């Protein structure tokens, strides 16, 4: 069973550009969440999608957006990149969205974004 | 406001030593998970604890959830180089306003 696949693994952009990151969840998983990871802030929640609907959103500016497709694949987009957006962006999928219990999150290897 | 603290931040030990890392919160949460993240990879779930006072063992790893469900510890016996990685705890507040709070992690290096 294939794991969570994130592409691209590494990318370098310059300030002001935009970037799109892709996440393919485990087959059959319908919940996808995105995180930004930096050494100083740790994992910061960006957003969560379930069945193509955004269910939760973290405290990030509107430059950060996402979407989920009918096949559960998800993309996130960051526009007008800033130096501080340099980070590892992680995607996690879950087979269910049980709000009454901790869910099992399966993470991809991440997309390492460097903004120059 | 950092609601979740992990300590120590960094730990470097020799193979065969024992160690304990901690995860402390200022709030009560429904459940807690520990993940391990190896360099170049995403975090991998180790355990979920739900009940106050609960103790779970995973081979050489022992996890404990505090009685008040505000803290947890991870004890590793006879550490091996394969235990090297970033140990993250995450607290879950379940319900309609579901929320996860991640710690910054403990970076563990086990030297052969």
């Amino acid at each position: 069973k294939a794991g969570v696949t994130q592409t691209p693994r590494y990318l370098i952009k310059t300030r002001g550009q935009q970037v799109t990151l892709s996440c393919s969840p485990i087959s059959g998983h319908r919940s996808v969440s995105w995180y930004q990871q930096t050494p100083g802030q740790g994992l910061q929640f960006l957003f969560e999608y379930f069945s193509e609907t955004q269910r939760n959103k973290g405290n990030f500016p509107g430059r950060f957006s996402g979407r989920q497709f009918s096949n559960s694949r998800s993309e996130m987009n960051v526009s007008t990149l800033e130096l501080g957006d340099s980070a590892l962006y992680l995607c996690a999928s879950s087979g269910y969205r049980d709000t009454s219990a901790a869910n099992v999150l399966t993470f991809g290897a991440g997309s390492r974004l460097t903004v120059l | 406001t950092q609601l979740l603290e992990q300590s120590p931040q960094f730990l470097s030990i020799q193979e065969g030593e024992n160690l304990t890392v901690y995860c402390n919160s200022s709030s009560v949460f429904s459940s807690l998970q520990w993940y391990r993240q190896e360099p170049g990879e995403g975090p991998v779930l180790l355990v979920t604890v739900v009940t106050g006072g609960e103790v779970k063992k995973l081979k050489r790893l022992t996890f404990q959830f505090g009685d008040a469900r505000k803290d947890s510890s991870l004890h590793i016996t006879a550490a091996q180089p394969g235990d090297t990685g970033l140990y993250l705890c995450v607290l879950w507040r379940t319900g309609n306003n579901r929320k996860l709070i991640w710690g910054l992690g403990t970076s563990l290096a086990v030297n052969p």
Side-chain angles (χ1 to χ4, degrees):
Chain A
K1 195 174 186 181
V4 178
T5 303
Q6 290 189 246
T7 57
R9 287 293 308 274
Y10 303 92
L11 65 166
I12 299 174
K13 294 284 187 178
T14 56
R15 279 181 298 176
Q17 288 187 311
Q18 74 164 13
V19 65
T20 299
L21 308 177
S22 178
C23 172
S24 293
I26 289 175
S27 178
H29 282 196
R30 295 164 60 191
S31 177
V32 173
S33 52
W34 287 88
Y35 296 85
Q36 181 195 68
Q37 185 178 31
T38 59
Q41 297 295 318
L43 268 83
Q44 302 284 308
F45 171 73
L46 282 157
F47 18 69
E48 177 192 8
Y49 289 88
F50 183 79
S51 294
E52 301 179 64
T53 301
Q54 187 179 89
R55 304 288 177 157
N56 239 327
K57 191 177 189 303
N59 296 324
F60 278 82
R63 299 185 297 108
F64 292 81
S65 63
R67 58 179 174 169
Q68 187 180 34
F69 302 96
S70 59
N71 62 358
S72 294
R73 190 178 70 86
S74 177
E75 288 182 347
M76 66 162 283
N77 183 274
V78 187
S79 62
T80 320
L81 284 166
E82 301 177 359
L83 296 179
D85 297 333
S86 294
L88 179 66
Y89 289 87
L90 291 163
C91 161
S93 79
S94 178
Y96 52 94
R97 188 175 186 272
D98 181 357
T99 58
S100 68
N103 298 167
V104 175
L105 301 177
T106 303
F107 284 85
S111 293
R112 171 77 62 184
L113 170 65
T114 302
V115 182
L116 303 176
Chain B
T1 302
Q2 180 59 265
L3 299 178
L4 183 59
E5 292 192 358
Q6 289 192 244
S7 61
Q9 206 173 342
F10 300 97
L11 190 56
S12 180
I13 61 171
Q14 294 300 121
E15 182 175 1
E17 292 184 13
N18 301 332
L19 67 119
T20 302
V21 298
Y22 301 91
C23 174
N24 293 288
S25 168
S26 56
S27 304
V28 175
F29 281 80
S30 306
S31 54
L32 180 147
Q33 293 176 323
W34 284 93
Y35 286 78
R36 179 172 65 211
Q37 183 177 20
E38 298 181 15
E41 300 295 330
V44 175
L45 178 65
L46 296 173
V47 75
T48 300
V49 285
V50 178
T51 305
E54 184 175 4
V55 177
K56 284 191 174 180
K57 293 194 175 186
L58 183 65
K59 297 183 181 179
R60 294 175 294 99
L61 279 60
T62 301
F63 304 86
Q64 183 161 7
F65 202 13
D67 290 341
R69 305 214 314 273
K70 294 172 66 174
D71 57 88
S72 179
S73 63
L74 158 58
H75 181 79
I76 301 179
T77 303
Q80 299 176 2
D83 296 326
T84 293
L86 179 67
Y87 287 81
L88 295 158
C89 70
V90 54
L91 297 184
W92 288 72
R93 178 183 292 152
T94 54
N96 288 333
N97 294 319
R98 186 171 75 167
K99 188 174 183 180
L100 283 71
I101 302 293
W102 290 83
L104 293 179
T106 292
S107 181
L108 171 66
V110 182
N111 307 300

